[in-house]
Amino acid sequence: MAVKIYDTKARKKVALTFRDEGKVSVYVCGPTVYDVPHIGHGRTAVVFDTIRRYLIWSGLEVNFVSNVTDIEDKIIARAARDGLTESEVAQEFEEKYFAELDRLVVMRPDVTPHATGYIAAMVKLISDLVANGHAYTIDDQGVYFDVSSYSAYGELSHRDLATLLESAGARVDVDSAKRSPVDFVLWKLAKPGEPSWDSPWGAGRPGWHIECSAMALGLLGDGFDLHGAGDDLVFPHNENEIAQAGAAGHEFARHWIHSGMVQINAEKMSKSSGNFRSLADALDTYDPRAFRVAVLLTQYRSAMELGDSELTAAASAVDRFDSLARRAMAVEIDLSTASIDRKREQSFRAAMDDDFATPAALAIIFAAVSEANQAFDCEDIETAATLVATVKELAGVLGIVIGRIEDSSGDSRIDQLVVDRETARANRDFATADRIRDNLEAEGVVIADRASGTTWHRR
RNA sequence: GGCGGCGUAGCCGAGUGGUUCAGGCAAGGGUCUGCAAAACCCUGGACGCGGGUUCGAUUCCCGCCGCCGCCUCCA
C-alpha cells in the first residue's frame, strides 16, 4: 500500500510512513463540549472517520484516539449560566455529540480520553517543562510556556517568531505579565468557585493545548503516526502541542493532516460568529447518509458549503444508491456470493491512496451505479450483481450504507392499498388508482410500477 | 501588515500542458409507462481579467481584480 497524504508540516503530499509496520496510530482533536455539535463538527468527524475506515480496509491495524475537552473556560461559563456543574455540562454535550455522530455512522474512537482524566499526566509534562527551563510561573496566574526557548516554534504553521511578535497584540490585548505575548498558558490557577485540581503551582486547571500533547503521547507514545484536526486548529493549538511535546523531549506526530472548514455563504461557520447550523438540525432534515455524501463530494482540505442545496443534491445521489439496491433486491441477487469488480476496486484504491480523493472515489462508484442499471436494463443479471456488490463494498468503505435499513414489506395496510390500486388499474379506473397513489405519496410511500409488478418503498 | 488558499458550465465540485477532460444535482428532448416514479439514451453549456512561455494553456510564469482562512476562542 502506498498512501500519500498532504502533510501540513511538509506542505506537500508525502508517503504516509509508519512507526510500526502494519500499524497506524492516529490522534484527532475532538470537541470542547460546551454546546451542541454543529455541521462543522460533523464534517470533520466524517472526514477522519472515512480516512480511518479506508486505512482499516487497506489492511492496517488502526489505533484511533480522539479526545473530548471537558474542562475549559466556555464550559465553566455555560455551567454558570445554566446553574449546572461543569461536569454536567460536559456530559450533556458529549452525549449529544456522539449521538449525532452515531447517526452519521461515524465509528467511535478506540479511545476517547478526557482532559479531566489526564490531569496527572499533564502536571507531569508541565513539571518537565518547568524543570528544563521551557516554562515559567507568574504569581497568581499560572504556568506559561516560554516560546522563545523552543527554536522550532512555528514549524507546523510556518510562522517565524519575529513575525508573530510583530502581529501579536494587533487583534487582542496582550497580557502584560507574560514574558512574551506569544507565550501561552500551561496551567491556570483557579479563581474562587472554579473547578480545580491540585498541582505543584497551586490549585488550578490545565491550559487547553497541554491536554492533547499529554493524551496523544500517553496513549500512542512518542513518534506516533498521524495527527489530525480541523484547519482552524493548526495555529496556535497544534503548533503549541508540538512545542510542548518537543520541549519536553518527546518526538511528536510524524504526519499532520487537517480538514477544511464548513462555510455558510462563503464565510467560515463558527459558533463565535453565530452563523452556525446544528448537526442535529441538518440530520433531522436530511438523510444522514446525504450529509456524509455531501461531505465526501468535496476534497477534505477545501473549505466547503454545506447548506440546503448541497444536502438536497446529495440526498438525490443517495436515492440513486437506494434505487439500485431495490432493483437488486427485486431480482433477489445474492450479494454475498457476487464477485467484486477488481478493476474498479483498484481505481478506487488509487483515488483514495492519493490523499483520500473521495470525490474521485465517489465518481468511480457512481459510474458503477450507472453501469449496473444498464446491465439490469439488458437483463445481464450476472454483470449487474458484480457491479452492485462492488458499489456496496466501495461505498461501505466510505461509510455509506446502501439500501434502507427499515423494512419496506409487511405493512398489510399498504400492501392492501397497493392491491386495491392494481385492481383499479386492471379495470382502467385510473382516477381511483391515482388517488390511492397520491394518498400514499402524501405519507411518504412511493409506488413503482414495473413489468414484474408493482413495488413500494418509503421515501 | 505577515503567511496560506481559492476563483471551473444554472448550482456543488474533481482534474489535466494537447484528440470526445470527472462526478453529483438541476434543465431540455427522447425510450419505457394509462399517467407517474425509477432507469436508460441524447443535448446544451467552463475554466475571473490582462500579458508571457509554448507548436499548443483552463492547466506553467508575471501582473491585476475579486473572495476566503489563519495570525484570538473555534472542528
Side-chain angles (χ1 to χ4, degrees):
Chain A
M1 189 188 74
V3 177
K4 286 168 79 176
I5 66 157
Y6 183 90
D7 186 310
T8 308
K9 191 164 155 185
R11 270 188 174 165
K12 61 182 179 189
K13 281 185 199 173
V14 300
L16 186 59
T17 59
F18 310 109
R19 180 181 56 189
D20 304 309
E21 197 53 45
K23 296 183 182 180
V24 55
S25 41
V26 187
Y27 184 92
V28 174
C29 289
T32 300
V33 281
Y34 70 99
D35 201 351
V36 294
H38 56 61
I39 55 179
H41 292 112
R43 180 190 186 187
T44 302
V46 164
V47 163
F48 288 112
D49 180 63
T50 304
I51 289 172
R52 177 187 187 186
R53 287 169 180 274
Y54 179 67
L55 294 175
I56 292 171
W57 183 71
S58 299
L60 288 159
E61 191 183 310
V62 180
N63 188 198
F64 191 93
V65 176
S66 189
N67 70 298
V68 165
T69 299
D70 60 348
I71 185 65
E72 204 265 340
D73 292 359
K74 285 180 178 164
I75 296 174
I76 294 172
R78 178 81 187 225
R81 196 195 87 182
D82 293 354
L84 298 168
T85 65
E86 286 74 15
S87 70
E88 283 168 340
V89 168
Q91 202 178 333
E92 174 188 349
F93 293 115
E94 176 176 347
E95 277 168 18
K96 287 186 169 154
Y97 176 73
F98 282 115
E100 298 308 327
L101 296 197
D102 284 349
R103 293 166 80 185
L104 285 169
V105 201
V106 168
M107 294 166 70
R108 295 286 179 114
D110 293 310
V111 185
T112 306
H114 292 73
T116 56
Y118 270 77
I119 302 288
M122 290 187 244
V123 166
K124 169 74 168 67
L125 192 56
I126 298 169
S127 300
D128 290 347
L129 291 170
V130 171
N132 65 18
H134 289 289
Y136 58 91
T137 59
I138 296 176
D139 286 348
D140 302 327
Q141 290 197 40
V143 186
Y144 287 78
F145 187 87
D146 179 3
V147 169
S148 69
S149 74
Y150 187 69
S151 61
Y153 195 78
E155 62 182 344
L156 176 71
S157 55
H158 306 281
R159 288 152 213 252
D160 63 73
L161 201 49
T163 311
L164 282 170
L165 286 168
E166 269 174 43
S167 60
R171 299 173 61 199
V172 108
D173 289 338
V174 174
D175 179 347
S176 57
K178 289 195 291 188
R179 286 185 196 167
S180 163
V182 295
D183 290 352
F184 55 91
V185 70
L186 297 168
W187 187 261
K188 268 186 195 180
L189 294 178
K191 298 192 180 75
E194 288 181 346
S196 66
W197 289 261
D198 287 335
S199 84
W201 316 283
R205 63 180 183 278
W208 174 40
H209 314 298
I210 195 71
E211 69 176 74
C212 286
S213 300
M215 297 189 289
L217 289 172
L219 288 161
L220 298 173
D222 285 22
F224 65 93
D225 297 311
L226 185 59
H227 189 131
D231 215 17
D232 52 350
L233 298 191
V234 174
F235 188 90
H237 182 62
N238 296 153
E239 191 71 62
N240 291 352
E241 284 182 62
I242 294 178
Q244 291 159 342
H250 297 283
E251 213 179 297
F252 209 53
R254 300 159 65 89
H255 301 286
W256 286 85
I257 186 166
H258 289 92
S259 71
M261 296 291 103
V262 170
Q263 302 186 324
I264 290 182
N265 297 327
E267 297 285 337
K268 177 186 166 186
M269 189 194 68
S270 71
K271 236 167 240 178
S272 45
S273 10
N275 65 335
F276 76 96
R277 180 176 194 175
S278 80
L279 189 52
D281 175 58
L283 300 186
D284 286 345
T285 312
Y286 300 94
D287 186 331
R289 297 176 302 159
F291 185 95
R292 192 167 188 117
V293 167
V295 165
L296 298 179
L297 239 16
T298 298
Q299 215 282 338
Y300 75 87
R301 278 185 282 119
S302 307
M304 75 176 294
E305 294 285 333
L306 195 44
D308 290 305
S309 61
E310 289 76 17
L311 290 167
T312 302
S316 296
V318 167
D319 283 343
R320 221 169 132 65
F321 286 137
D322 286 346
S323 292
L324 180 66
R326 280 194 295 276
R327 222 175 160 175
M329 211 145 43
V331 296
E332 294 177 346
I333 284 176
D334 184 359
L335 289 176
S336 61
T337 59
S339 59
I340 302 285
D341 183 333
R342 297 298 163 193
K343 276 188 94 163
R344 283 170 211 276
E345 185 187 272
Q346 222 165 42
S347 308
F348 174 87
R349 198 182 289 280
M352 291 296 285
D353 278 352
D354 183 13
D355 197 27
F356 312 109
T358 54
L362 278 170
I364 290 160
I365 296 173
F366 282 120
V369 170
S370 288
E371 287 172 49
N373 278 312
Q374 287 166 38
F376 275 122
D377 285 350
C378 301
E379 289 178 28
D380 180 353
I381 302 304
E382 197 181 330
T383 301
T386 295
L387 289 167
V388 172
T390 305
V391 167
K392 254 194 139 143
E393 165 80 8
L394 300 182
V397 174
L398 301 181
I400 302 162
V401 181
I402 291 182
R404 280 301 177 83
I405 294 153
E406 46 112 316
D407 189 7
S408 64
S409 65
D411 187 319
S412 57
R413 182 183 62 87
I414 293 173
D415 287 341
Q416 185 56 51
L417 285 169
V418 169
V419 170
D420 292 348
R421 176 168 168 278
E422 283 304 277
T423 307
R425 287 178 73 212
N427 295 332
R428 303 196 68 77
D429 178 4
F430 296 123
T432 300
D434 290 352
R435 186 169 44 72
I436 292 172
R437 183 173 61 197
D438 290 347
N439 288 343
L440 285 170
E441 177 76 30
E443 58 177 292
V445 173
V446 180
I447 294 291
D449 298 322
R450 307 194 61 85
S452 53
T454 297
T455 59
W456 64 270
H457 67 271
R458 292 187 195 282
R459 191 169 36 229

